[in-house]
Amino acid sequence: MPVHYTELGLVNTKELFQKANEGKYAIPGFNFNNMEQLQAIIMACVECNSPVILQISKGARQYANQTLLRYMVPGAVQMAREMGSNIPIVLNLDHGDSFELCKSCIDNGFSNVMIDGSHLPYEENVALTRKVVEYAHDHGVTVEGELGVLAGIEEHVVAERSHYTRPEEVEDFVARTGVDSLAISIGTSHGAYKFKLKPGEPFPELRFDILEEVQRRLPGFPIVLHGASSVLQEYVDIINKYGGKLENTAGVPEDQIRKAIQLGVRKVNIDSDGRLVFTAMVRKYLAEHPEEFDPRKYLGPAREELKKMYIEKCKLLGSAGKA
Ligand code: G3H
Ligand code: 13P
Ligand code: ZN
């Protein structure tokens, strides 16, 4: 049965980005695949009074079942309200890859969809994005597009294969597609292996010159930074201490996230840091309590630690206190 996002207590991104522009902060885009992640995100954003964009990828839909996820979200909204909070909550399809997928999400209560045509030739990206925007806007749903290719969606793919966003294409793309926000490629990539660093080598600078040029051409237009996990070393260390094997991981330093926000980034996507926290805490708990087999015992502490991490992210992004 089709449902409109307003019936689920959700909002689109329009007003959130307007306020974020005025206040020069970014809204978190946090991915989730299961109940504990969703609880942690909501509890964190309620506690620090931050607006939030909940993100479901195609893979998450396949993993958790699209119908179940769709029913979990109004539950999460209701939970926030019962906690006495009125934080704005957006439900976003992350990296939608076809019109049909975006349409299905719009028909099933999503309030924002990302259509990622970044791998397509430019004109095909424009045409696909335009088609999604037309359907979405008819339903009051906002749309994120993407220009420029981030290196590998899969982990272990290093950043060399990205191609950066060309600022000269941005105005044309936004004008012809009507997108409400735009993901750009300035050197980040997805996963826990964003940069290939030798020991002691400093983190490379993101291409802030591209962001500056985009801002010059489209002042105030909401820009989205994907692949923005910092790959928090303390959790990588816990994972490795308790039997894991994550080597040569590297993420985006926090000062570079702050700088990107100063230069117009209004949405920051974080998934991998949540995965690392979750895995670290589960590994630690099970290693320290080999007799335990009740999932609540090891998922509970993971959820609690995740919540703390999300609060820190909201503070970093400046969205804490802005709901
Ligand atoms: O962009 C990638 C997100 O982290 C989602 O990842 O496709 O493995 O769910 P996923
Ligand atoms: P990370 O892998 O850096 O967390 O990026 C997540 C993302 O961009 C989701 O779309
Ligand atoms: Zn992404």
Side-chain angles (χ1 to χ4, degrees), residues 281-294:
M281 301 323 283
V282 169
R283 275 194 179 278
K284 181 171 188 290
Y285 190 92
L286 290 176
E288 289 174 348
H289 303 85
E291 74 293 351
E292 197 52 69
F293 63 95
D294 178 347

Side-chain angles (χ1 to χ4, degrees), residues 8 48 60 156 165 207 222 287:
L8 308 181
C48 73
H156 302 291
T165 303
R207 289 284 308 272

Side-chain angles (χ1 to χ4, degrees), residues 43-59:
M43 291 188 304
C45 293
V46 164
E47 191 166 317
C48 73
N49 200 32
S50 171
V52 64
I53 300 177
L54 298 172
Q55 310 208 116
I56 296 178
S57 70
K58 188 177 172 180

Side-chain angles (χ1 to χ4, degrees), residues 31 55 94-95 114 116 146 150 153 190 225-227 269:
N31 290 63
Q55 310 208 116
D94 193 26
H95 293 282
M114 176 192 191
D116 181 356
E146 177 160 345
L150 270 71
I153 294 289
H190 293 101
L225 189 63
H226 282 246
N269 281 12

Side-chain angles (χ1 to χ4, degrees), residues 149-152 154 156-164 185-190 193-196 204 206 250:
V149 180
L150 270 71
E154 295 85 16
H156 302 291
V157 181
V158 290
E160 286 146 5
R161 296 222 320 267
S162 67
H163 74 74
Y164 299 118
S185 171
I186 56 167
T188 62
S189 60
H190 293 101
Y193 303 91
K194 299 190 194 304
F195 308 108
K196 227 190 208 169
L206 298 178

